[in-house]
Amino acid sequence: MVRRINLKRANVARSNTIRDINRQIILNYVREEGPISRADIAKITALQRSTVSLIVEELLNTGLIEEIYGESSGGRPPQLLSLKTSHAVAIGVDLGKKTTIVATTDLSGRLIEQEEFTTDKDFNKTIDRVIEIANHFKKKNGGSIEGIGMSLPGMVESWTGDVLLIPHLDWHRPKFAEIVRQATGLPVKIENDANAAALAELWFGRPEISNVRDFILVYITNGIGTGVVFDGQIYRGKGGVAGEFGHMTIGTGAPIACAAGSHNCWEAFASERAALARYANLTTAHSSNGKITFPELVSLAMKGDDKAVAALKETAHYIGIGISNLIQGLSPEVTVIAGTIVRAWLLINEEIKAAAQSAICQGYPSVNVMPSTLGSYPTLMGAFSLVLADKFASVTIT
Ligand SMILES: [Zn+2]
């Protein structure tokens, strides 16, 4: 997987044998600091002007960057470099338990075009639709697509990219990468959804998260997934399946059972399903309208519906309890929450922090919890990152 080097600690490479590293470093400066001049790149990297010019020439020829004119301060306008963002370079597939999105992105992680469909429990039907849309995008973009990144709600073996299990769809060892690669002729990278979202925060998140070396992303859906970023990289553990904190024990008597049937897990207390069950318990005594979707519950709460607010706040309390365990065990700089529940951040924010703070024993760093900075599509951004991060690999500017 992609490793990022902290520039504060790394010396910029000067040897020809590591010209590729310099190329990635320069490309990353253009991505993060652009529009930027050749002279400024030379200044901050301490590379020779001639080396910078050579590499910039290469990047211009391969179509990764383009030259634009800056504002003139009297004389000739300065020539600046910026990422070429006019065309699609990657396809992202965000396979969700209910909806699957297939979309294209440019080099900067901007979403260009998307199609979505209801995820079919039949693996073959779902994968055929993914392939159909991916091939349509590939054809439409005339060879500029370089690869496919895929985020899915399951366990992924890190060194092979094989999917081991997607519990909520009951798919065992689906051969995603292989089938999509053969049918599209494009390289395919696959990652667990929470890890993919964490990777996207690292590469495309706002600086308050992307500049942090150690953070945990908690992805709340029907279940709870966590992506642990340790020293600027995803922590994978043996088999690549680390981060299953959704099944840590929080208490007894949760409102629902987790995917594995336990009423004691974090998922059973703090997932979207847990919030919906609380809302149903509060409403069914009075009406038959207990059954709604989670986005509907969030909308109701935002409109001030007492019972919806109560269901979300109680769920937020248990999100906070789980986070207190993560903080005590891993001491991250930031814990990031992603998922539809983030739309109700103003309602749940205090509840999460108060519960996390009160459950932490003395002597630990203070609680720093924030919502994802990736907008409505954290896992789709994660799918994009799987392809894009490779281009900028090796460097972070902090
Ligand atoms: Zn469980």
Side-chain angles (χ1 to χ4, degrees):
M1 212 42 222
V2 175
R3 183 175 176 96
R4 293 172 30 137
I5 299 165
N6 187 339
L7 266 194
K8 274 183 187 156
R9 293 180 225 156
N11 291 316
V12 172
R14 286 172 208 287
S15 147
N16 277 341
T17 57
I18 36 182
R19 173 119 156 241
D20 283 350
I21 294 176
N22 286 337
R23 193 169 174 271
Q24 287 180 324
I25 288 172
I26 290 175
L27 186 58
N28 209 40
Y29 270 111
V30 175
R31 177 177 86 92
E32 296 209 354
E33 308 282 308
I36 185 170
S37 69
R38 289 172 174 80
D40 283 341
I41 293 174
K43 213 184 292 167
I44 41 182
T45 57
L47 286 167
Q48 285 180 0
R49 276 295 293 270
S50 56
T51 309
V52 171
S53 290
L54 263 176
I55 293 174
V56 162
E57 226 32 63
E58 247 179 66
L59 292 171
L60 285 168
N61 286 338
T62 50
L64 290 172
I65 62 175
E66 61 190 347
E67 221 155 6
I68 57 168
Y69 286 100
E71 263 180 46
S72 165
S73 52
R76 229 169 48 139
Q79 281 182 311
L80 302 176
L81 303 162
S82 109
L83 274 192
K84 193 164 180 181
T85 54
S86 55
H87 60 275
V89 295
I91 292 172
V93 179
D94 178 18
L95 188 128
K97 290 154 200 158
K98 289 181 187 143
T99 306
T100 295
I101 303 175
V102 185
T104 53
T105 178
D106 67 16
L107 209 47
S108 69
R110 186 173 57 100
L111 194 155
I112 296 178
E113 193 179 0
Q114 73 172 89
E115 280 196 35
E116 59 179 79
F117 62 91
T118 304
T119 306
D120 198 304
K121 289 233 171 202
D122 180 335
F123 170 74
N124 290 319
K125 283 187 182 156
T126 295
I127 203 163
D128 283 351
R129 190 83 182 97
V130 166
I131 289 166
E132 188 189 330
I133 301 171
N135 274 331
H136 164 69
F137 284 150
K138 185 186 166 192
K139 200 171 160 199
K140 192 172 174 180
N141 286 285
S144 69
I145 303 286
E146 296 181 19
I148 299 177
M150 196 181 260
S151 153
L152 43 77
M155 292 178 183
V156 178
E157 198 174 61
S158 56
W159 60 93
T160 56
D162 282 349
V163 181
L164 303 176
L165 174 68
I166 303 188
H168 290 266
L169 293 166
D170 205 21
W171 293 349
H172 298 261
R173 291 201 163 263
K175 293 273 173 213
F176 259 119
E178 202 180 308
I179 298 172
V180 176
R181 195 180 297 125
Q182 277 181 11
T184 61
L186 291 167
V188 178
K189 282 192 170 177
I190 295 191
E191 185 56 276
N192 159 271
D193 52 9
N195 280 351
L199 193 68
E201 289 286 3
L202 201 55
W203 285 97
F204 299 103
R206 287 206 301 267
E208 59 264 39
I209 298 174
S210 62
N211 285 346
V212 165
R213 305 295 298 169
D214 303 307
F215 70 87
I216 301 173
L217 183 134
V218 178
Y219 184 48
I220 298 174
T221 57
N222 271 349
I224 297 184
T226 51
V228 179
V229 172
F230 173 68
D231 198 23
Q233 296 177 83
I234 304 282
Y235 176 76
R236 293 168 192 288
K238 191 181 178 204
V241 295
E244 286 294 322
F245 287 109
H247 294 289
M248 70 182 160
T249 301
I250 295 289
T252 53
I256 54 155
C258 78
S262 162
H263 280 79
N264 305 336
C265 300
W266 196 17
E267 173 179 317
F269 278 97
S271 62
E272 291 182 352
R273 289 188 301 126
L276 287 172
R278 289 188 180 103
Y279 178 73
N281 286 340
L282 288 170
T283 50
T284 42
H286 309 287
S287 74
S288 57
N289 295 334
K291 277 214 174 292
I292 54 171
T293 65
F294 189 72
E296 285 166 354
L297 177 69
V298 170
S299 299
L300 274 179
M302 295 304 281
K303 282 182 204 151
D305 179 291
D306 287 352
K307 295 184 178 80
V309 170
L312 280 190
K313 285 204 170 186
E314 194 179 345
T315 305
H317 171 80
Y318 287 104
I319 292 173
I321 300 286
I323 286 174
S324 73
N325 288 322
L326 301 187
I327 290 176
Q328 290 180 115
L330 297 165
S331 192
E333 280 177 63
V334 183
T335 304
V336 183
I337 315 259
T340 305
I341 199 164
V342 167
R343 288 185 208 157
W345 190 247
L346 290 174
L347 289 175
I348 59 170
N349 162 23
E350 291 303 323
E351 208 71 37
I352 293 176
K353 286 178 189 162
Q357 197 72 60
S358 68
I360 286 178
C361 297
Q362 282 182 335
Y364 285 89
S366 64
V367 172
N368 188 4
V369 183
M370 57 173 77
S372 166
T373 65
L374 297 169
S376 310
Y377 301 106
T379 47
L380 180 62
M381 288 296 293
F384 291 158
S385 307
L386 293 172
V387 182
L388 299 180
D390 260 1
K391 299 207 153 297
F392 309 108
S394 309
V395 192
T396 180
I397 301 166
T398 53

